[in-house]
Amino acid sequence: MARGGQAIRSLMASSGARWWKDKNTLMKRKMSSLEEGESVEQVFGKDFKPFGDVLVHPNENGENCFITYLPKFMQPRAATELFEHLRDNVEWRREEDSVGVQERLTAYFGDPHCTFAYVGLRLTPQPWTGSLLPIKNHVNSFFTSHGLPPLTACLLNNYEQGAGRIVWHHDEVRAHGSCPLVVSITLSPDGNRLFEFRHVASKRQVSLPVLHGSAVVMAGRTQLHWQHRLPCTPSPHRISLTFRSIVPGYEEGLLGSLKGMDDCQ
Ligand SMILES: O=C(O)CCC(=O)C(=O)O
Ligand SMILES: [Fe+2]
């Protein structure tokens, strides 16, 4: 096996992700990630049990989508401290993607080699900062204890007061695992914003006013059957932490470019 192949295997092992064995498995996962007709157990694993305020249950339409809401995921005081710290200390960027200049600011953090490719952007993670590590650890111990995959990266979104939005979209799933997981934590000490979901086939919509310190969870086939958006309603300043189950080296493996990964052996 080529050196790069060994590198990617050792990355998978050291990341502790039991879902990934080698580059070939990654390829198969990519191909199978859009297949339907699988059981809940196949998609979510045998340890999974729904939790939180369930908006969409995995059994709904047999689609294996899971959208749930945890209104009190963080203590309000800790959420406010984190909001103020991130607002003032993160190097926020306004990216231009394939749709245009983004109507929000972002910053991307993650484990080494958790490259995130979406809407024409290819983001390299900044290392986790001291302010993000405690919430990353909290997120991971909570969700892995519910049988969900580890969250290895986080895209921070900063929607300034009275402005900023994200239009209807699916999150890129090719970077995620067999049970792609996105968890969005809301930091908005001055009030709520709407988080909306739309079922692609039926157009059914769900609107959720997301509270300061809450978490929205999208797992399984959610990104295939549902879109989501943050509309531009008159609204308070909000920062979201969107944790994602990106597998280290996944993007590089898919693109066949394993450059820069040998230092991980
Ligand atoms: O701000 C949020 O909670 C969600 C943002 C989002 O949909 C995304 O980053 O893909
Ligand atoms: Fe999204």
Side-chain angles (χ1 to χ4, degrees):
M1 179 172 294
R3 216 170 151 225
Q6 284 167 352
I8 201 165
R9 273 202 313 188
S10 67
L11 271 173
M12 298 314 145
S14 66
S15 75
R18 64 193 151 90
W19 294 269
W20 312 105
K21 292 202 189 80
D22 56 28
K23 192 177 155 195
N24 292 334
T25 310
L26 294 178
M27 293 297 189
K28 277 189 211 130
R29 283 292 182 204
K30 187 199 176 204
M31 300 307 289
S32 69
S33 65
L34 295 183
E35 279 172 17
E36 294 190 59
E38 294 152 307
S39 67
V40 172
E41 196 167 282
Q42 278 172 295
V43 174
F44 291 89
K46 63 177 174 37
D47 298 331
F48 174 76
K49 301 250 175 333
F51 55 86
D53 299 346
V54 178
L55 278 73
V56 177
H57 191 279
N59 291 339
E60 190 172 306
N61 305 323
E63 286 177 343
N64 285 318
C65 302
F66 181 54
I67 306 179
T68 196
Y69 178 58
L70 297 158
K72 294 186 181 159
F73 189 72
M74 283 182 80
Q75 297 287 339
R77 195 193 296 171
T80 302
E81 278 171 17
L82 187 57
F83 171 86
E84 288 169 356
H85 181 83
L86 297 174
R87 180 195 61 197
D88 298 339
N89 293 288
V90 166
E91 210 173 294
W92 294 103
R93 292 170 56 90
R94 191 176 295 280
E95 301 280 2
E96 182 167 3
D97 61 35
S98 52
V99 181
V101 177
Q102 293 184 339
E103 294 178 69
R104 67 196 195 284
L105 305 171
T106 59
Y108 180 60
F109 296 84
D111 291 355
H113 304 294
C114 282
T115 303
F116 184 35
Y118 80 115
V119 283
L121 296 173
R122 196 169 166 76
L123 306 181
T124 302
Q126 300 178 52
W128 298 103
T129 61
S131 59
L132 286 172
L133 272 176
I135 183 68
K136 183 210 184 213
N137 293 337
H138 177 49
V139 160
N140 270 309
S141 61
F142 183 87
F143 291 101
T144 55
S145 76
H146 286 81
L148 291 171
L151 290 143
T152 52
C154 184
L155 179 69
L156 271 56
N157 295 293
N158 182 343
Y159 308 83
E160 288 148 304
Q161 185 183 359
R165 65 172 178 155
I166 186 162
V167 298
W168 287 119
H169 68 286
H170 307 265
D171 284 351
E172 293 276 358
V173 287
R174 67 198 170 85
H176 307 302
S178 61
C179 175
L181 175 62
V182 180
V183 174
S184 175
I185 295 175
T186 289
L187 307 175
S188 65
D190 300 327
N192 308 335
R193 259 195 187 226
L194 278 187
F195 196 122
E196 298 190 316
F197 305 92
R198 176 169 75 178
H199 188 253
V200 174
S202 69
K203 302 282 180 257
R204 179 163 87 82
Q205 256 179 249
V206 179
S207 282
L208 185 68
V210 282
L211 296 173
H212 184 44
S214 68
V216 167
V217 181
M218 296 178 275
R221 298 288 182 241
T222 300
Q223 305 300 337
L224 178 61
H225 296 287
W226 290 83
Q227 293 181 311
H228 55 279
R229 73 168 176 182
L230 277 287
C232 187
T233 46
S235 44
H237 193 167
R238 171 176 180 269
I239 291 175
S240 66
L241 281 66
T242 61
F243 284 90
R244 293 152 196 271
S245 58
I246 290 175
V247 174
Y250 191 88
E251 290 291 335
E252 285 84 354
L254 290 179
L255 295 176
S257 155
L258 295 163
K259 264 200 222 128
M261 297 183 66
D262 286 353
D263 55 345
C264 290
Q265 287 187 74

